[in-house]
Structures are given as C-alpha cells and as structure tokens.
Amino acid sequence: MASEAHAAEGATGYIIHHLTPLRVGEGFWSLHLDTLFFSAVLGGLFVWFFKTAAEKATSGVPGLAQNFAEMLIEFIDTQVKDSFHGNSKLIAPLALTIFCWVFLWNFMDMFPVDLLPLIGSLMGIDYLRVVPSTDLNATFAMSISVFFLIIFYSIKIKGPVGFAKELMFQPFGPWLLPFNLLLKLVEEIAKPISLALRLFGNLYAGELIFILIALLPWYIQPVLSFPWAIFHILIITLQAFIFMVLTVVYLSMAHEDH
Amino acid sequence: MSINATLIGQMITFALLVWFTMKYIWPPLFDSLEERKKKIAEGLAAAEKGHEEILLAEKKAKKVLKEAKEQSSEIVTLAQKRANEIVEESKDTAKKEGERLIVAAKAQIEQERQQAKEVLRHEVVSLALKAAEQILGAEIDQGKHQDIISKVSNQLG
C-alpha cells in the first residue's frame, strides 16, 4: 500500500499519501507507529496535566490548572451521575480518560494538514498520519476495551447465569430463544462497532476535507479551511463527548439488573 | 485501512491510561472538590449562624437597653418621691421646731414675768411697809404683823 501511494502522483497521490500510516511489519503483526506514537504522547500529555493538577490539589483556592481539571471532572461527574446510578470507582475515571484522550486525538486534526508530515519528512519519515482517531485501530481499541468492560460488568453484576438468561429470554420470552439470542448478540456487538466507526468516520471525513481544501489554490484555502476548522472544533468535542456518554450509558445498562 | 497489532498496542495504552487515571488522578481531584464543597457549605452555615447570632444579640441589647431605661426612670421617680418626702419631713420638723421654740420662748417669757412680778411684789411690799412705817411711825412690828404682810404680798402676787 505504501509503495503504491508513493508511486501515485497528483491530487490522488497527495490524498493517499496523507491517509497512509507509518507502518512497520506485514500482515496482522504490523504496527502503525504514528498512531501509537501520537496517542501515547497525547495520553502522556493528559496524564501529565491532570497529575500536576492532582498533586497540587487543595480544597482551598485552586490554581489555574486545578481549576481547569476540576471543571472537567465536575463536567464528567455530572454526566456520569446523570446516566449511571450504580456505584463504581471505574466509570468516572474511565469516562474522563475517554473524553480527554479522544478529544486530544481529534484535536490533532486542528494542526495544518501538511505541517507535521512536513516536519516528519525533514526527519526522514515518509508517511505520517497525525490524527489517531483516523486510524480504525485506535478507535476500535478503545471501543473493544469498552466492550470487554460491558461484558465484564454484565457478568459481574448479573452473574453468568443472569447474563445468559438476559441474552436468551429477553426481550421476547423463552419461546423465541434463538431469535432473542440473535437480537441480543447483534445489539451487544453493534455497540463497539458503532462507537468505533462513528468516531473514525467523523474524523476521517473531517481530515479528508482538510486535505481536499489543501489541494485548492492558496487564495481559496483560508475561505474554506477557516470555517471548516471552526466547525471542526465543535465536531471534535462532540465526538469525544458522544464516545464518553455512550460508554457510560452502555456500562450503566450492563449494571442494570432486569 | 487494515486492523492490525496497533489495536493491541492501543488497548494496552488505553488500559494503562484508565488505570492511572483511576488510581492517581480522579481520587485526589474529586476529593478536593468534595472537600471544598463541604468547606463552602460549612462556611455558609457559619455565616448563617453568625447572622442569627447578631440578630439575637441585637434583640438582647435592645431588651437590656429597655430594661435599663425602665430602671432609670423608676429610680428617678423614686428619687423624686424621696425628695418630696424629705422636703415634707423637713417642713414638718421646721414647723415643730418653730412651735417648740415658740413654746419655750413663751415659757421663758412667763417665767421672767413671774420673776419680775416677784421682784416687783417684794419691792411693793417693802415700799408699802416703808410707807406704812412712815405713816404709822415704827409701830408696825414686822414680827407681829407677819400675817398681814404675807396676805398683802399674796394679794399683790
């Protein structure tokens, strides 16, 4: 794939080049280094910021960083309390991590499309896709983790038998068992897939539009990229928020015993 | 756009991040928030209490002031009464004293009049005796006529 993109010229080549990840290895056991690198750096940024705020945390007058961190925490806490009524030490921190991390991923979209790849190429890196959320691996990694948590909590709260019963006897009762099972399985599996694809699709499309705008003559670019960037601020926040809220909702559904 | 081992790497990173957040980030920040909430609630409660206490103290002060005013007016009334009494008493005393003085003066006057009368009587007696002596020519013997003299002298008194 990489060699094909390299060979292609013109607009198509430019687009393909921008959407090709920095990849090592072949087949399944290959890694997208750019996705791993940027998401790790952004995760580190998130952890560093919040850790600094947490270390200085005081119940007195908060500093600027603590204020910001507390604002986010209150916001997340409100969201979690709105949809999740159980008692869990995991859900709120999980939601915070998801919201901040996804937001930071998405925020990489706000950098000029050519800036980081240009710096990369100066350093000898040919391919660089800077937005981790435009990599299905990143979005699926998160949604599959959430999926595991859903399964884990379903079994933990309802018990293996209870969970199996829910899969088999709902919503139409024991007489339609196969149909119930099929419906439930689709419902469960649709959760991580929809989570991952929603985020991926939005950001991929957004990035693609930035790339397309970058192909236009320079005097048209600002007219289009400026409003799109502003609109995109909304999209990236919204997508992070949706991912977080749906995670909380799914997990609270897993906690509900019928 | 292939799914590959990046997925696993991302999942590990995600798990680490969630674990770290759960362990080191959420609790202290959330606790500080809760603690601040509590502090603010306490502060508000204290302010409320202080306000109530002020109202109470004002009420008390008003009451004390009122009491003091009542007491002072009572004292003034009492003092006026007492003053009136004293004036009355002293008037009485003065009157009595005056009367007593008058009585004493009268008694003294009476006494002096008596004394004067006595003296005058003696003198009149002796004058009368002398005159009688001279008229009768030493015939009246004082010893003999003592009865007569004392009668006359009594009549004069």
Side-chain angles (χ1 to χ4, degrees):
Chain A
M1 191 173 166
S3 53
E4 287 164 24
H6 209 58
E9 288 302 324
T12 319
Y14 178 77
I15 293 167
I16 291 173
H17 179 259
H18 265 288
L19 293 174
T20 305
L22 178 66
R23 184 172 171 179
V24 291
E26 281 300 320
F28 178 76
W29 292 109
S30 55
L31 291 171
H32 293 165
L33 287 183
D34 44 7
T35 301
L36 287 172
F37 173 73
F38 282 112
S39 57
V41 165
L42 293 170
L45 193 71
F46 155 70
V47 161
W48 168 78
F49 175 77
F50 274 84
K51 183 72 188 140
T52 321
E55 265 165 11
K56 289 185 199 151
T58 155
S59 58
V61 180
L64 203 64
Q66 196 193 341
N67 234 338
F68 184 69
E70 279 178 357
M71 194 185 82
L72 275 172
I73 283 199
E74 285 242 283
F75 165 67
I76 303 284
D77 193 50
T78 316
Q79 295 300 330
V80 170
K81 276 186 181 142
D82 276 352
S83 39
F84 181 75
H85 301 295
N87 189 19
S88 169
K89 282 196 160 59
L90 174 75
I91 308 266
L94 176 78
L96 177 71
T97 314
I98 289 177
F99 180 72
C100 293
W101 207 25
V102 172
F103 177 79
L104 289 171
W105 283 357
N106 296 350
F107 190 79
M108 294 304 289
D109 220 359
M110 304 308 288
F111 287 107
V113 280
D114 276 327
L115 180 66
L116 291 171
L118 182 70
I119 294 169
S121 71
L122 290 177
M123 286 159 66
I125 298 163
D126 289 331
Y127 293 98
L128 196 62
R129 197 173 49 182
V130 295
V131 188
S133 17
T134 58
D135 188 342
L136 271 177
N137 289 302
T139 59
F140 265 113
M142 200 175 256
S143 69
I144 289 172
S145 306
V146 171
F147 179 66
F148 284 158
L149 282 174
I150 292 171
I151 302 294
F152 171 73
Y153 276 114
S154 292
I155 292 172
K156 189 186 165 197
I157 302 292
K158 298 162 189 164
V161 179
F163 184 47
K165 267 187 187 168
E166 194 188 297
L167 285 181
M168 288 186 284
F169 301 148
Q170 282 180 10
F172 297 124
W175 296 109
L176 286 167
L177 192 146
F179 188 61
N180 286 340
L181 193 61
L182 186 72
L183 207 68
K184 274 284 174 183
L185 284 179
V186 169
E187 187 189 324
E188 291 302 319
I189 290 167
K191 284 174 186 173
I193 293 179
S194 67
L195 270 181
L197 288 182
R198 182 184 301 111
L199 178 60
F200 166 76
N202 271 284
L203 270 291
Y204 195 79
E207 180 76 347
L208 196 61
I209 287 174
F210 274 124
I211 295 167
L212 290 175
I213 290 169
L215 281 168
L216 294 169
W218 64 269
Y219 50 88
I220 303 178
Q221 282 183 26
V223 184
L224 293 171
S225 66
F226 178 65
W228 181 244
I230 287 180
F231 183 54
H232 216 60
I233 293 173
L234 180 69
I235 290 177
I236 61 176
T237 321
L238 196 65
Q239 286 306 321
F241 180 70
I242 288 171
F243 203 114
M244 177 209 60
V245 165
L246 284 179
T247 303
V248 173
V249 168
Y250 291 158
L251 285 175
S252 73
M253 277 161 73
H255 275 75
E256 268 161 23
D257 210 345
H258 293 289
Chain B
M1 205 40 61
S2 51
I3 297 288
N4 56 30
T6 313
L7 183 81
I8 297 164
Q10 287 292 97
M11 278 170 83
I12 293 166
T13 317
F14 183 53
L16 284 175
L17 282 178
V18 171
W19 169 79
F20 192 86
T21 310
M22 204 171 103
K23 188 109 181 157
Y24 298 108
I25 289 175
W26 188 271
L29 280 170
F30 196 71
D31 286 353
S32 80
L33 270 176
E34 290 294 305
E35 206 174 306
R36 177 155 346 109
K37 250 184 219 164
K38 223 167 88 188
K39 263 191 187 174
I40 289 171
E42 272 166 13
L44 284 177
E48 187 94 344
K49 209 176 149 200
H51 193 69
E52 264 168 32
E53 266 170 16
I54 284 175
L55 284 182
L56 226 90
E58 265 176 13
K59 240 185 196 172
K60 208 174 162 188
K62 265 184 193 165
K63 203 177 149 199
V64 168
L65 212 72
K66 207 180 155 194
E67 269 178 9
K69 265 185 189 167
E70 269 170 16
Q71 245 173 14
S72 67
S73 70
E74 212 171 289
I75 287 169
V76 167
T77 319
L78 260 169
Q80 260 170 0
K81 208 172 153 196
R82 180 87 192 110
N84 282 346
E85 267 175 19
I86 287 169
V87 168
E88 287 301 314
E89 261 174 38
S90 46
K91 264 185 194 169
D92 265 14
T93 324
K95 213 172 167 186
K96 273 182 192 157
E97 182 69 15
E99 271 165 14
R100 198 182 59 80
L101 280 174
I102 288 167
V103 170
K106 272 185 182 165
Q108 207 174 353
I109 289 166
E110 187 65 23
Q111 204 188 351
E112 271 172 18
R113 204 166 65 98
Q114 290 296 336
Q115 270 180 0
K117 252 187 188 172
E118 198 71 22
V119 170
L120 274 172
R121 200 171 61 195
H122 279 294
E123 265 176 32
V124 170
V125 169
S126 59
L127 269 173
L129 279 180
K130 263 181 193 163
E133 253 177 63
Q134 274 178 4
I135 296 164
L136 299 177
E139 271 175 38
I140 297 167
D141 186 2
Q142 200 142 20
K144 273 184 186 170
H145 303 94
Q146 188 59 45
D147 286 349
I148 301 162
I149 292 164
S150 58
K151 248 184 211 166
V152 173
S153 134
N154 274 344
Q155 274 167 359
L156 285 169

